[in-house]
Amino acid sequence: MTWPIGRNRRSSSREVEVDSTAVRVVAASRLAVAVIVAALGSFLPHITGQRAAVFFLIDLAWVPWAAVVLFASERAGSQLARVGGPIGDLAVLATAQILFTRADVPQVNAAILPGYVVVVVFAVYTLNRSLAAGVGVASIALPTFAQRLFPPAHRLGAAVLTPYALSVVVLLLLIERTTRLQTRAASRYALLSTKADTILNHIADAVLVTDRRGTILQSNPALARIVGRGDETLTGHSCEELLDLHCGERRLDCSAGCALLRPDLTDETGLGVEVWRTGLTGERQPLLGSATRVDSDEGSVEVVHSIRDITRLKQAEEAKTLFLATASHELKTPLTVINGFADTLAHYEELDKDLRSAALDAIRGRAVELTRIVDRLLLSSRIEAGRMHLTCREIEVGPVISSRAASFGAATGREIVATLDGLPTALANEDALITVIDHLIDNAVKYSPGGEPVEVCAAADDEYVRVDVTDHGIGMDAEQAAHCFDKFWQAESTDVRRFGGTGIGLYIVQSLIEAMDGKASVRSERGAGSSFTVRLPRPRQPEPAEAAPPAEGEATSIREFMRQIGVPERRA
């Protein structure tokens, strides 16, 4: 429970709710005590005079007032319930002390003092520091002042009042200290609880707690995302039926307890055991699973599970494996040609000039191809390591595009149509732009094996210079288009072997364009070709300078001189 003692900041809604509950409990207890005392007075015989007045006061004043305070406590933050209750209690106690003592019942004079202490305790739990201190001062002042109204024989001496006052002060200080520590601990707990909830709600790993039978007691949103249930609450579901985990080709059996706790599935590294489940698409969804048993003092057993979706990691691993195989194949092909012709030149000195020239041309061509592959690998490595820095300046995009299109057309014998509509300058790095255009045209030529023309169109709007490289070749489906800019990605292994490539060209294109503050995108349809679009930012136009006021001419100077010597200005 959190109390408001020593609190200077605004209470949270949870703290206000707890405080309101405490006020209602105190109000209900007050009414119960008032009713009991009133009922007790009704059954006591021979009560007359001032004694009867005390119970009459309780019947007609304290019980109704306690009922009003109880009703007021149902309204959160009611000051009548918080402040009115202790004030009424003090008034009733002081009046009862005076009336009973003057009615020759001096024992009540000292017996009522613990009642003041109870009121102080309740006030500390329901009021703030200043009001609780005021109630404490009143609980000392009222009985002390009341002694002046009693005969000297019935008065409480300093031997009673002094320890009573000290006990009230000490009680206030102790409860203040206790409630302050409790408030600090509650705030610390609330902070840690909020932090834990925030972490569990935003981490990518699924965390779930199950009981001994495998029923889910708690889970975070990541579990719902992994199993494809959106934001659905999964509490109460069976963990075994919901996840349906497999290890290898064997389905995990959790009928005798969580299978992940078995020694043969325990991972000593602490990273988890590799398992899988059938995803929404019907394909295997690879996961890393681990479990920890938690035994409570009451004898209950709970199991905390951690499930990590490693689909992307597996895809990256497979892509890297494919990349190594593809890169090895791509490097091996030109090296085989180079080695073959080099051996031919070395062993057959009698080759005629034409054959020797053809062999050297083949070696030179394959060496250029090999250099291009190595350059792409090195550029990809620099991008990945964050060591690539581009300096952009204002350049003419049209000549770069025309030059690269003409060069590829001459080298490949393919029709490359360049359409440039009065392009303005763009902020770009010329070497990076050449690399981008080369990659896109090379891809367009490679993936349109039917000899269809490649179109390079460029235009501009207010913000960007846009370049579209379009082919009419094999195209891509939606999934391939969504991943084509990923590193090491290849459309299909069959296409890799058919068309070649290392799977990093489009990754380099996107990285270079983003390094120039541009954007890269693709539109493609299987069997209908692809269109790659890059946008390069245009230079910002400087703000127009304010026009300077016109200089004063000779006529203006003459008019000013005439005005100063008192000659009136002649108006037309």
Side-chain angles (χ1 to χ4, degrees):
M1 181 177 292
T2 305
W3 293 277
I5 295 296
R7 188 186 311 147
N8 294 322
R9 63 183 183 276
R10 182 177 299 176
S11 301
S12 66
S13 59
R14 174 64 179 165
E15 291 173 337
V16 171
E17 180 182 351
V18 173
D19 294 341
S20 300
T21 302
V23 172
R24 286 194 294 271
V25 171
V26 171
S29 303
R30 178 185 297 110
L31 180 59
V33 171
V35 171
I36 291 173
V37 173
L40 181 64
S42 301
F43 291 103
L44 292 177
H46 310 298
I47 296 180
T48 59
Q50 292 182 341
R51 298 181 185 181
V54 174
F55 290 100
F56 184 75
L57 171 67
I58 293 174
D59 289 337
L60 294 184
W62 197 27
V63 173
W65 179 251
V68 170
V69 171
L70 177 61
F71 291 140
S73 67
E74 296 298 327
R75 188 173 66 254
S78 172
Q79 293 302 315
L80 175 61
R82 293 177 180 274
V83 182
I87 291 177
D89 296 341
L90 292 176
V92 169
L93 288 174
T95 304
Q97 187 178 30
I98 294 172
L99 292 178
F100 271 121
T101 304
R102 294 179 68 86
D104 295 329
V105 188
Q107 299 85 353
V108 177
N109 191 9
I112 285 183
L113 293 182
Y116 285 107
V117 175
V118 173
V119 173
V120 171
V121 173
F122 282 171
V124 169
Y125 280 101
T126 57
L127 299 176
N128 58 34
R129 180 188 291 122
S130 58
L131 291 177
V135 172
V137 171
S139 67
I140 297 174
L142 287 176
T144 302
F145 175 76
Q147 304 307 310
R148 297 179 177 273
L149 305 178
F150 305 151
H154 294 165
R155 294 177 183 175
L156 299 175
V160 176
L161 293 177
T162 300
Y164 164 71
L166 290 176
S167 65
V168 171
V169 173
V170 171
L171 181 65
L172 282 172
L173 294 177
L174 288 177
I175 297 180
E176 159 72 10
R177 173 66 175 170
T178 302
T179 51
R180 182 183 299 174
L181 293 176
Q182 236 170 347
T183 301
R184 188 179 303 168
S187 299
R188 177 67 176 169
Y189 170 77
L191 176 62
L192 292 177
S193 179
T194 302
K195 184 184 296 185
D197 290 342
T198 302
I199 293 173
L200 289 176
N201 288 336
H202 291 85
I203 62 174
D205 293 357
V207 178
L208 61 150
V209 181
T210 63
D211 60 11
R212 189 191 303 268
R213 296 183 301 274
T215 302
I216 298 177
L217 303 177
Q218 292 175 291
S219 65
N220 65 342
L223 177 63
R225 292 195 296 269
I226 287 177
V227 300
R229 296 291 187 93
D231 295 330
E232 180 182 347
T233 301
L234 301 178
T235 303
H237 287 71
S238 170
C239 173
E240 183 178 9
E241 296 177 359
L242 181 69
L243 291 174
D244 190 24
L245 298 180
H246 295 69
C247 184
E249 299 304 321
R250 179 186 57 173
R251 184 177 185 273
L252 297 185
D253 182 10
C254 299
S255 58
C258 180
L260 293 177
L261 291 175
R262 293 206 302 265
D264 59 319
L265 290 179
T266 302
D267 182 28
E268 296 180 357
T269 64
L271 298 177
V273 180
E274 188 171 330
V275 293
W276 62 271
R277 64 183 298 272
T278 303
L280 297 177
T281 60
E283 298 179 352
R284 289 191 178 190
Q285 182 182 16
L287 305 168
L288 277 181
S290 62
T292 304
R293 178 188 174 107
V294 180
D295 298 319
S296 67
D297 296 335
E298 293 79 12
S300 62
V301 177
E302 294 181 351
V303 181
V304 180
H305 302 73
S306 175
I307 306 294
R308 174 177 297 180
D309 187 354
I310 57 173
T311 302
R312 296 295 298 273
L313 295 177
K314 282 293 184 180
Q315 291 175 347
E317 183 179 341
E318 293 173 0
K320 286 185 178 181
T321 301
L322 179 60
F323 163 76
L324 291 175
T326 305
S328 300
H329 175 76
E330 291 294 307
L331 292 173
K332 186 178 180 179
T333 300
L335 287 174
T336 301
V337 174
I338 291 174
N339 287 332
F341 277 109
D343 288 341
T344 300
L345 292 175
H347 292 86
Y348 297 96
E349 297 181 358
E350 66 277 7
L351 289 176
D352 59 29
K353 183 177 180 180
D354 292 337
L355 289 177
R356 184 177 296 276
S357 177
L360 291 174
D361 289 340
I363 291 175
R364 187 180 301 107
R366 294 299 182 175
V368 171
E369 181 181 346
L370 188 62
T371 302
R372 184 168 65 250
I373 295 174
V374 173
D375 286 343
R376 290 187 180 185
L377 293 176
L378 293 176
L379 180 57
S380 172
S381 176
R382 289 199 301 271
I383 293 173
E384 189 72 14
R387 296 194 301 266
M388 184 190 66
H389 301 285
L390 299 180
T391 301
C392 297
R393 60 183 182 85
E394 195 171 342
I395 65 172
E396 296 285 345
V397 177
V400 174
I401 298 175
S402 299
S403 172
R404 303 317 301 167
S407 176
F408 263 91
T412 61
R414 295 285 295 275
E415 182 182 1
I416 300 177
V417 181
T419 304
L420 311 176
D421 296 332
L423 295 179
T425 58
L427 284 177
N429 180 280
E430 186 169 353
D431 292 335
L433 179 58
I434 290 174
T435 302
V436 167
I437 299 300
D438 284 352
H439 276 306
L440 293 180
I441 296 179
D442 184 40
N443 265 13
V445 171
K446 182 190 303 181
Y447 289 102
S448 52
E452 300 89 346
V454 174
E455 301 169 4
V456 182
C457 301
D461 55 25
D462 293 337
E463 296 184 44
Y464 295 98
V465 173
R466 168 176 170 165
V467 181
D468 296 302
V469 179
T470 305
D471 65 73
H472 302 280
I474 64 173
M476 297 180 288
D477 57 29
E479 182 181 0
Q480 293 171 340
H483 294 282
C484 68
F485 290 107
D486 294 349
K487 189 178 182 182
F488 302 139
W489 184 88
Q490 294 280 8
E492 295 177 3
S493 59
T494 55
D495 285 346
V496 172
R497 294 304 178 210
R498 180 182 176 190
F499 298 106
T502 56
I504 58 175
L506 292 178
Y507 167 76
I508 292 174
V509 167
Q510 186 182 52
S511 300
L512 292 176
I513 290 298
E514 290 179 350
M516 293 186 287
D517 292 331
K519 301 177 182 178
S521 59
V522 61
R523 301 185 310 278
S524 186
E525 184 178 347
R526 193 68 175 172
S530 303
S531 179
F532 287 87
T533 300
V534 296
R535 292 176 173 85
L536 299 171
R538 293 182 56 182
R540 293 185 178 180
Q541 298 296 328
E543 296 293 334
E546 294 184 1
E552 294 186 352
E554 181 181 358
T556 304
S557 301
I558 294 175
R559 285 198 300 271
E560 177 63 19
F561 172 73
M562 295 177 65
R563 185 186 65 79
Q564 291 181 3
I565 63 176
V567 178
E569 182 177 356
R570 179 178 298 176
R571 299 185 181 275

